[in-house]
Amino acid sequence: MKINKLSIAVVFLSGSMFYAQETKQDTIIKEKKIDGVVIQGSSNKKTETAVLGEQKKAVIQKQAVSAEEISRKGISNVEQGLTKVTGITTVEGRGLFVRGLEERYNYLLINGLGSPSNNPFQKIIALKQFPTDVVGKLNIYKTFNSNLYGDFAGATFDIETLTIDKPFTKVEFSVGVNTLSTFRDNFKVSEGADGINGYLGLNSRDRRLPNEVRDSRPNTYNFNKSESLNSFKDSWNVDNVKSLPNTSIGFTTVQKVKAGETGNIGILFSLNQGSKYSYKEGANNQYRDNGQIIELSNLLDKKSYVYELESSVLLGAAYKNKGTNINLNAIYLQNSANIIEDFVGYKNFSVEDKRFFRTNQQDISRFLNLQLTGSQKLGERHLFKAGGSYVMNNYSQPDRKIFELTYPQDFTSAAFSYGGNNLIRQYLDVDGKFYASAFGEYSVSLGNKGERKDYPMQLSVGYNGFSDIRKNSYRFIFGTPKGVNTPVNINVDNIQSTLTNSINNDKLFYKEDSDAYSYLSNIYQFVNAGYINFDYKPDDSWDILIGGRYENDMRIIRYNKPGDSNRLNLTNDKNYFLPSLSVKKALNSKNNLRLSLSKTVTRPILIETMPIEYINPDNTTVRGNENITNSENYNIDLKWEYFPTNKEMFAVNLFAKRIDNAIEKSIAPSGNASGVVITFYNADQATLAGLELEGILSLGRISESLNKFTLGANATFMYSDVKRSKEQLQTERPNLPGFTDDQLHKRGLQGAAPYTINADLKYEYKNSKNLSSTFSVVYNVSGSKIYAVGGSGTDNYYEKPFHQLDFVYQNQIDKNWNIKLGVQNILNSKYRVELGDDSYYTVKTNGNYALNNYFNGVNFNFTVGYTF
């Protein structure tokens, strides 16, 4: 008789496998030998434990936020989810900072495919528009590998949409209030924006450029009386409403059916709609040289009313059969922000001329991403992967209306004069004419597996790339006096009737006064790359990944200078060889040591290269620099990881970067001696060095009574130093006799924070039915960083630390019902950007250093969900 004694090893990988293997033999008569039993299962890759295990196994530095963690922390959108990762913070309206680096140093993938931005002022799509109901996992790559796009210095984010594991249908409703914004009387919205058309974003149709000039080159067209009355569909009026609670509703369903004996087909449909009211009030100032004395050129109080609507639709279909996977996704995102901004104060040193001016605008973006991806395994050794996407993408500010007058005593009967810049309509349109992305990869496993889990070698070759074509238009229409320009009295909230009377009485008409040539520009971006990776595992403790990427980057900008009919073509065509090396040494089953070396590039944000002057009513101008070049980055990381259990982790990471031609934002006096210009330059070189610390600890280690508590914390500490370029030296150098360049103050990289800290404390309780309740307290802050580099005698402008503390409670009441309660921004810190205190000239501002500041208020959110 033979007895086979079995030991079971459980390996939690993507698609878990339980393997039983013979280890000892005894004798029993007539028993047959059992050589091996394979039991296939399916682990849940969405749990925090599974994600931590994947991070431990990966050869490159890869972190992730699981669907479970997204739910536990009350994360409602992708941007919030990414801020829970080491070294990542979100900055007011300016996207995500990684290791203190501006958003321009990041890149976005959706299911492995490149994605364009739907906003010219941001590098990647506004991730707050991407609801987490459709997210399976957020992957964050903080070291480079050659199959990633070369546009890499901070991180590459990859959003994996929800995998179709099991059928379910879920409905979720959320309501929220803000201590500053909700139930506010006289909340101002554009007339018609709070109706059903505004809710669906359809009010943008009434704000389009009039038919008379829409499809023609500007030629100082004068709108006649009938056209001035009827061609502009959107009113100058605003409605005063009581702001309602913020709401959102989401519906997600996943259905799965068999396809043949071993295959299955899954269908995913998700629909989300949300509305939000936001009110902010604070300073909006400017500082300029006034005879080698830094003074407030603008002293303004700004009130901002934003009514924001977000819509998203995701339709997915997947086919899976043994080694075959095919996925089709259609993702539609729309964001419509109806914005009223009121300014009170003086501009351009005119202290005695107190003004009131208002901006009435809509920012609307529409983004449709169609994706097809697939993979095919051939035996155990061969794998083919391929995918492609096509994106339709548009961002516009249609009919951005601005009017200005002397500050009135009576806002219902204010003296107003036509002419000058007192009545302006602006039309900005950034039209993504064509965007396509694709990838293809073949991998082969080499060598003999033997008794190991994996083959010792894997070779991968592949291609990825994208084409991005944008047409940009920026036009102006002015309200122009006709005949004797007699002042009129207006109600600032109901100005339209007065304008209509003036047009009827031949006192006012509209005239386009856009430049006939510089209003239009085209930007073409083509990136094509081939890459090769060789992954070598000499034994179970070593993993060595060597990669090489050859990337061709071509950017073409076609534009005209103001008043010049000669079309200019700037072509930047460059080839990059981008090597990478990642080494992981498993010191034992709980400790890893990692080393990563790479070269990468950084491409600028669209606005940083757009040859336009984007004009604001407070005398600020945003000017793109068509001569900006890509940065070239040299990166090194050395990391130690310790995994005491499958739910705990500690890590220490040392990193350094050298960034040649680093891109920085600057604020300098305008060339026309009125206001300031925000523009962008390449620095000569930036050097960064930092330390990252991360830990996840079960407090049961301290006391058994604390075993339901988990503490997670991460921090990044960084030093940076910049060597200025010639253009920056000219901008920053003060006009002082005998002053030399080496007397300029030493400074760090614009946007680089000296520290970032994220922490969360979780309490989790499971009842007798194994249903969980969790309480989480989440905190984050980043250190003071340069918001923009100063110029002409001023110090830099610094974004001050913003302390955010959130509380989230989640309770799975039964198998169907769940609730969430969240309180965000409990501390209600003031957001502040301030002029530094080390200017080259004397500063006389009566102690006022605020470029801008405001409070956000505290948010209370309640969500209830029902799963069928």
Side-chain angles (χ1 to χ4, degrees):
M1 178 178 67
K2 294 183 180 179
I3 296 178
N4 292 289
K5 185 176 180 181
L6 305 178
S7 64
I8 306 295
V10 182
V11 183
F12 291 100
L13 301 173
S14 57
S16 294
M17 178 178 292
F18 295 33
Y19 188 77
Q21 184 178 355
E22 176 188 22
T23 60
K24 184 177 178 181
Q25 293 186 356
D26 289 328
T27 304
I28 294 180
I29 299 173
K30 295 183 181 179
E31 282 288 351
K32 294 184 179 179
K33 178 182 177 183
I34 302 176
D35 292 322
V37 179
V38 176
I39 307 169
Q40 300 224 352
S42 179
S43 67
N44 187 353
K45 293 184 287 183
K46 304 173 191 175
T47 67
E48 293 179 74
T49 302
V51 166
L52 199 61
E54 184 178 339
Q55 177 181 332
K56 178 181 178 182
K57 181 188 176 188
V59 61
I60 61 175
Q61 285 194 34
K62 175 185 176 183
Q63 293 176 267
V65 182
S66 66
E68 181 184 87
E69 184 176 2
I70 287 170
S71 175
R72 173 176 68 80
K73 293 182 178 177
I75 297 166
S76 61
N77 61 67
V78 168
E79 183 176 271
Q80 287 181 359
L82 290 171
T83 61
K84 311 310 175 188
V85 176
T86 306
I88 299 180
T89 55
T90 182
V91 178
E92 286 288 300
R94 295 191 291 120
L96 293 163
F97 282 48
V98 179
R99 294 175 174 172
L101 294 177
E102 289 264 30
E103 191 190 60
R104 76 171 65 86
Y105 294 101
N106 302 328
Y107 193 73
L108 176 67
L109 303 172
I110 301 177
N111 293 316
L113 288 159
S115 174
S117 173
N118 62 346
N119 186 330
F121 299 93
Q122 293 184 286
K123 177 66 172 287
I124 61 180
I125 191 171
L127 294 176
K128 68 184 182 67
Q129 295 178 225
F130 216 111
T132 51
D133 281 347
V134 299
V135 174
K137 189 170 58 175
L138 304 177
N139 295 307
I140 303 98
Y141 298 91
K142 293 169 72 175
T143 59
F144 177 67
N145 182 40
S146 63
N147 64 344
L148 299 173
Y149 282 93
D151 195 348
F152 188 109
T156 291
F157 309 125
D158 188 7
I159 302 172
E160 291 186 19
T161 52
L162 195 64
T163 54
I164 303 173
D165 294 327
K166 60 181 180 179
F168 73 91
T169 299
K170 181 180 180 181
V171 178
E172 194 168 69
F173 177 76
S174 178
V175 61
V177 297
N178 178 277
T179 54
L180 276 180
S181 305
T182 309
F183 302 124
R184 190 177 191 87
D185 292 324
N186 298 319
F187 189 97
K188 299 184 185 298
V189 295
S190 304
E191 190 174 73
D194 56 340
I196 186 63
N197 282 344
Y199 188 73
L200 298 176
L202 300 178
N203 59 323
S204 62
R205 296 180 300 184
D206 292 336
R207 304 180 73 125
R208 290 181 297 177
L209 198 65
N211 288 328
E212 290 84 355
V213 297
R214 185 181 304 162
D215 298 318
S216 60
R217 180 183 295 276
N219 59 357
T220 62
Y221 185 86
N222 293 330
F223 291 81
N224 62 36
K225 181 186 294 187
S226 175
E227 293 169 341
S228 293
L229 288 170
N230 301 313
S231 296
F232 299 87
K233 306 298 183 183
D234 194 63
S235 170
W236 286 79
N237 292 346
V238 300
D239 292 332
N240 290 279
V241 302
K242 182 182 282 291
S243 52
L244 299 176
N246 305 324
T247 60
S248 66
I249 187 169
F251 171 80
T252 302
T253 183
V254 172
Q255 302 300 324
K256 196 171 183 180
V257 297
K258 294 285 290 182
E261 293 185 4
T262 58
N264 58 70
I265 296 175
I267 301 293
L268 165 66
F269 175 71
S270 181
L271 177 65
N272 294 269
Q273 178 75 31
S275 64
K276 178 182 179 182
Y277 293 85
S278 176
Y279 171 80
K280 297 175 183 176
E281 179 178 0
N284 191 95
N285 302 326
Q286 287 180 18
Y287 300 85
R288 287 162 52 200
D289 168 22
N290 190 19
Q292 297 190 359
I293 297 175
I294 303 301
E295 295 182 348
L296 281 158
S297 58
N298 282 15
L299 181 60
L300 297 170
D301 179 75
K302 175 182 173 182
K303 295 180 180 179
S304 174
Y305 308 82
V306 181
Y307 175 50
E308 188 172 16
L309 293 311
E310 294 180 346
S311 307
S312 67
V313 183
L314 173 63
L315 179 63
Y319 171 73
K320 186 175 182 179
N321 186 6
K322 294 183 179 180
T324 303
N325 286 280
I326 300 174
N327 296 278
L328 176 65
N329 286 302
I331 303 166
Y332 178 74
L333 304 175
Q334 177 177 288
N335 178 272
S336 173
N338 298 278
I339 304 168
I340 304 296
E341 293 178 336
D342 286 350
F343 300 80
V344 172
Y346 69 81
K347 299 188 293 183
N348 201 27
F349 299 110
S350 301
V351 178
E352 303 301 323
D353 185 15
K354 189 176 181 181
R355 310 289 288 175
F356 170 81
F357 51 100
R358 170 175 289 171
T359 300
N360 178 337
Q361 75 183 61
Q362 181 186 31
D363 293 4
I364 186 163
S365 64
R366 297 183 175 93
F367 176 92
L368 176 62
N369 190 336
L370 305 175
Q371 297 185 331
L372 176 64
T373 61
S375 64
Q376 177 65 57
K377 291 185 70 175
L378 297 177
E380 290 189 358
R381 292 181 179 269
H382 304 276
L383 175 65
F384 294 89
K385 296 190 297 185
S389 68
Y390 172 70
V391 178
M392 290 175 277
N393 186 25
N394 177 263
Y395 172 90
S396 63
Q397 288 179 351
D399 201 1
R400 185 190 192 214
K401 293 181 283 289
I402 302 168
F403 71 87
E404 181 174 343
L405 56 124
T406 299
Y407 184 81
Q409 297 301 314
D410 183 357
F411 281 81
T412 64
S413 182
F416 181 66
S417 296
Y418 302 129
N421 294 325
N422 287 353
L423 205 63
I424 306 175
R425 311 180 91 127
Q426 298 179 0
Y427 299 82
L428 173 67
D429 187 73
V430 181
D431 189 9
K433 304 297 290 184
F434 178 84
Y435 183 94
S437 174
F439 72 83
E441 182 181 281
Y442 165 68
S443 299
V444 58
S445 297
L446 304 171
N448 296 315
K449 185 186 297 186
E451 296 182 355
R452 298 188 302 183
K453 300 187 296 283
D454 301 308
Y455 287 99
M457 293 175 286
Q458 185 181 68
L459 179 67
S460 301
V461 293
Y463 159 87
N464 54 27
F466 69 83
S467 298
D468 189 4
I469 299 174
R470 310 274 185 131
K471 178 182 178 182
N472 314 305
S473 174
Y474 189 39
R475 302 176 75 156
F476 299 84
I477 293 176
F478 291 82
T480 305
K482 191 175 183 180
V484 179
N485 186 15
T486 304
V488 296
N489 291 325
I490 63 169
N491 180 330
V492 297
D493 289 344
N494 294 282
I495 186 176
Q496 186 62 55
S497 59
T498 303
L499 300 180
T500 299
N501 288 335
S502 294
I503 294 171
N504 277 321
N505 295 327
D506 290 325
K507 293 184 177 180
L508 177 70
F509 69 99
Y510 287 110
K511 175 182 180 180
E512 180 174 10
D513 206 13
S514 311
D515 187 89
Y517 304 105
S518 63
Y519 81 99
L520 182 68
S521 64
N522 300 84
I523 298 180
Y524 307 82
Q525 182 87 48
F526 305 101
V527 172
N528 291 281
Y531 62 85
I532 184 169
N533 279 330
F534 182 68
D535 190 357
Y536 177 52
K537 301 179 179 68
D539 57 46
D540 287 339
S541 69
W542 283 96
D543 199 340
I544 303 169
L545 180 63
I546 302 172
R549 180 180 181 88
Y550 181 82
E551 188 167 284
N552 174 256
D553 183 321
M554 177 184 288
R555 182 170 67 240
I556 302 171
I557 302 176
R558 294 178 178 170
Y559 72 106
N560 296 74
K561 292 183 178 180
D564 190 346
S565 62
N566 294 317
R567 191 75 166 162
L568 300 176
N569 289 273
L570 293 180
T571 301
N572 190 337
D573 187 359
K574 194 162 184 180
N575 296 314
Y576 298 97
F577 174 65
L578 306 175
S580 62
L581 171 66
S582 296
V583 179
K584 185 190 78 171
K585 169 63 177 177
L587 303 176
N588 52 44
S589 62
K590 296 183 178 182
N591 290 271
N592 287 335
L593 192 62
R594 300 175 180 274
L595 172 67
S596 297
L597 305 168
S598 65
K599 179 184 177 183
T600 58
V601 299
T602 296
R603 301 182 182 95
I605 301 170
L606 187 62
I607 190 64
E608 295 174 347
T609 60
M610 285 176 65
I612 68 168
E613 292 190 0
Y614 179 82
I615 299 172
N616 292 308
D618 61 351
N619 286 351
T620 61
T621 299
V622 182
R623 179 183 297 159
N625 181 355
E626 61 273 15
N627 295 309
I628 283 283
T629 62
N630 294 344
S631 304
E632 297 188 32
N633 319 310
Y634 299 85
N635 315 289
I636 180 170
D637 289 76
L638 179 62
K639 185 175 185 179
W640 168 72
E641 297 172 327
Y642 173 54
F643 299 85
T645 68
N646 63 357
K647 292 185 178 181
E648 295 178 303
M649 185 269 289
F650 300 93
V652 178
N653 184 38
L654 300 171
F655 67 90
K657 296 177 183 291
R658 193 190 82 192
I659 304 177
D660 294 341
N661 300 317
I663 301 169
E664 296 188 296
K665 177 169 67 176
S666 296
I667 297 179
S670 173
N672 59 17
S674 176
V676 297
V677 60
I678 300 170
T679 192
F680 311 92
Y681 296 108
N682 286 112
D684 186 53
Q685 189 179 98
T687 303
L688 298 89
L691 168 69
E692 288 182 305
L693 304 172
E694 183 177 12
I696 303 172
L697 173 69
S698 172
L699 297 188
R701 288 178 169 273
I702 301 173
S703 170
E704 183 65 25
S705 61
L706 299 176
N707 64 356
K708 292 183 174 62
F709 286 90
T710 302
L711 176 65
N714 57 70
T716 303
F717 304 93
M718 185 173 63
Y719 162 84
S720 66
D721 180 64
V722 165
K723 181 180 178 182
R724 299 168 172 90
S725 64
K726 291 181 180 179
E727 294 82 3
Q728 290 179 312
L729 289 171
Q730 293 173 358
T731 301
E732 297 180 46
R733 185 190 302 121
N735 186 22
L736 292 173
F739 192 93
T740 59
D741 291 342
D742 57 7
Q743 291 177 270
L744 285 168
H745 303 149
K746 187 176 181 180
R747 65 171 176 84
L749 179 67
Q750 182 259 316
Y755 65 86
T756 61
I757 299 172
N758 298 317
D760 72 273
L761 178 65
K762 177 187 75 170
Y763 173 84
E764 183 173 16
Y765 167 76
K766 290 189 178 182
N767 62 19
S768 58
K769 296 181 181 180
N770 203 36
L771 299 174
S772 65
S773 299
T774 60
F775 299 82
S776 296
V777 178
V778 184
Y779 169 79
N780 63 70
V781 67
S782 63
S784 180
K785 51 186 169 289
I786 297 176
Y787 170 82
V789 177
S792 189
T794 65
D795 194 4
N796 306 308
Y797 299 88
Y798 292 88
E799 190 167 40
K800 296 299 184 178
F802 183 88
H803 300 266
Q804 178 149 341
L805 182 67
D806 302 334
F807 168 79
V808 181
Y809 165 70
Q810 177 175 288
N811 184 15
Q812 188 71 39
I813 299 174
D814 59 29
K815 66 177 183 179
N816 301 113
W817 289 98
N818 73 285
I819 60 172
K820 297 178 188 176
L821 175 65
V823 186
Q824 284 83 37
N825 195 29
I826 295 171
L827 302 176
N828 196 21
S829 297
K830 177 182 280 191
Y831 175 76
R832 298 176 298 146
V833 177
E834 298 180 356
L835 175 68
D837 57 5
D838 198 14
S839 294
Y840 299 94
Y841 299 150
T842 300
V843 177
K844 293 185 177 181
T845 60
N846 294 321
N848 187 340
Y849 288 86
L851 182 72
N852 53 64
N853 58 37
Y854 50 82
F855 289 101
N856 285 310
V858 182
N859 293 302
F860 297 85
N861 295 285
F862 177 75
T863 303
V864 58
Y866 184 83
T867 302
F868 298 89

